[in-house]
Amino acid sequence: MPGNRRPTIKTVAARAGVGRTTVSRVINGSELVSADARARVLAAIKELNYVPNSVARGLVTNRTNAVALVIPESESRLGSEPFFAALIRGVSGALSETRTQLQLMLVRDRAERDQLTASVATRRVDGVLLVSVHAHDQLPGLLEEMGLPTVLAGRRDERERLSHVTSDNAGGAAAAVRHLLERGRNRIATISGPLDMDVGRSRLAGWRDAHREAGAPADESLVEVGDFTEEGGRRAMRSLLERAPDLDAVFAASDLMAVSALAELRRQGRQVPDDVAVVGFEDSVLARHTNPPLTTVRQPVEELGRTMARILLDEITGAGRSAQRLTLPTELVVRESS
């Protein structure tokens, strides 16, 4: 090639004596091409050593064959919380079955939000998977206004219009608290997630539901709001012990907060589970390596990621004609901490 330039779809079209649209159809496996034209295009591709790229494939489909996984959190949260790693594995696994590329985008400030907006506006991605959804987050509404296929992990509230996948947060939390009540615990505190997130509100609702079902009204003074971080769990456990030293169990709305609650209880000389039983939520790898091993609510995080990706692909291709709302089941896993 002159100047050793990489061959383009235009070069292939010229060599094969066809239009660029025909080349794109051959690349994408379309049947709307004659056998003769297909043979000439394939011969030109081989002769020129042409490697199709996402732009070429997109000429017919008007797609980039790329989706963004948007996580509005810091690198430290992304690296420290097993939830995100498991979710990414699930999403990546589902997309690996297709030609779709995954772009991971952290949105931590206004500049990165503007960068995402630019990517969406210029259609550099075909759709968005959005994680860590807060009630007043502007991103879901922005994506909805732009008409870009979008699937949420969780939801803003029960009126959510966008497709979303979530775990049975309330049911899982209720199962955890029922288990503690059945073990004879009667001062069950909770470290909730952020209350501007549906996941935080739902797991707190499950804590209340289990008490109500048992005819033992929940003591709201035993609620401490956390933030799903290790330090947040430690602070919450310390605060609970200061105002309710007689508590005999704690349900933490995430494994990471449960692990830090265990550390704070140990620091204050409380034995687990003899003095205080502890239950977490997620069943991450952390739960199996605590001392004692953590009783927790298993949520299928990888399956959540896979399901989100499949729904998004359906919306991109037009197979998903209306918003999908899926709730995945959870399961209590009893170990030695309770």
Side-chain angles (χ1 to χ4, degrees):
M1 296 295 298
N4 292 321
R5 288 181 299 177
R6 181 178 177 180
T8 66
I9 194 171
K10 183 176 180 181
T11 316
V12 173
R15 179 65 60 93
V18 298
R20 283 181 292 176
T21 298
T22 299
V23 176
S24 293
R25 285 175 175 164
V26 172
I27 291 170
N28 284 280
S30 171
E31 297 180 359
L32 302 176
V33 181
S34 69
D36 176 65
R38 186 185 305 281
R40 282 187 283 137
V41 169
L42 292 175
I45 287 174
K46 183 177 180 180
E47 190 177 331
L48 295 169
N49 196 27
Y50 171 70
V51 179
N53 58 33
S54 61
V55 174
R57 289 194 298 270
L59 284 178
V60 169
T61 62
N62 196 30
R63 297 183 202 138
T64 64
N65 288 334
V67 300
L69 174 58
V70 179
I71 303 178
E73 302 288 356
S74 65
E75 296 98 327
S76 60
R77 288 286 299 273
L78 185 65
S80 65
E81 296 187 28
F83 173 85
F84 293 119
L87 186 85
I88 292 169
R89 283 196 303 272
V91 170
S92 180
L95 295 181
S96 70
E97 302 166 5
T98 72
R99 290 179 171 179
T100 308
Q101 295 180 327
L102 178 63
Q103 298 180 11
L104 179 61
M105 301 182 70
L106 301 185
V107 178
R108 295 155 292 195
D109 54 29
R110 177 67 177 271
E112 290 179 340
R113 185 187 298 271
D114 291 345
Q115 182 181 1
L116 171 62
T117 303
S119 293
V120 171
T122 55
R123 294 288 177 165
R124 292 200 288 270
V125 293
D126 296 326
V128 170
L129 300 165
L130 183 57
V131 184
S132 291
V133 180
H134 294 259
H136 303 295
D137 192 341
Q138 297 177 1
L139 276 176
L142 176 66
L143 295 168
E144 188 176 15
E145 287 175 11
M146 291 184 167
L148 191 73
T150 300
V151 180
L152 311 181
R155 58 186 184 178
R156 286 168 287 184
D157 55 45
E158 62 278 1
R159 299 183 302 277
E160 183 60 68
R161 296 180 300 275
L162 293 170
S163 290
H164 56 274
V165 184
T166 187
S167 298
D168 183 7
N169 292 303
V177 177
R178 278 195 298 269
H179 165 73
L180 291 168
L181 289 166
E182 289 165 1
R183 292 289 173 97
R185 309 291 171 154
N186 53 37
R187 292 282 287 163
I188 304 171
T190 185
I191 302 173
S192 78
L195 299 185
D196 68 339
M197 298 181 72
D198 180 75
V199 61
R201 296 191 301 273
S202 294
R203 291 178 189 175
L204 178 57
W207 175 82
R208 291 181 176 129
D209 290 344
H211 280 92
R212 185 175 60 255
E213 291 166 6
D219 183 348
E220 296 295 327
S221 71
L222 296 178
V223 176
E224 187 67 24
V225 178
D227 58 4
F228 290 138
T229 69
E230 184 176 3
E231 181 54 35
R234 185 176 292 110
R235 283 196 308 267
M237 189 71 254
R238 190 180 306 131
S239 178
L240 284 167
L241 288 171
E242 285 173 358
R243 69 171 180 267
D246 61 337
L247 63 84
D248 59 9
V250 178
F251 164 61
S254 76
D255 282 354
L256 191 60
M257 293 195 298
V259 167
S260 54
L262 284 172
E264 182 62 24
L265 287 164
R266 187 179 301 113
R267 190 186 72 82
Q268 297 202 26
R270 304 295 183 95
Q271 297 296 312
V272 176
D274 295 346
D275 300 327
V276 181
V278 178
V279 179
F281 201 114
E282 187 178 333
D283 195 28
S284 66
V285 65
L286 296 174
R288 297 184 290 278
H289 298 287
T290 57
N291 183 23
L294 183 67
T295 294
T296 186
V297 177
R298 177 179 294 155
Q299 64 169 342
V301 181
E302 286 195 37
E303 181 59 29
L304 190 149
R306 284 192 293 271
T307 303
M308 289 175 64
R310 289 167 184 156
I311 291 174
L312 184 63
L313 291 173
D314 283 348
E315 293 200 357
I316 290 169
T317 61
R321 300 186 183 280
S322 59
Q324 297 190 51
R325 304 169 180 85
L326 295 181
T327 300
L328 304 183
T330 55
E331 175 189 2
L332 182 68
V333 180
V334 178
R335 298 193 179 96
E336 297 169 28
S337 69
S338 62

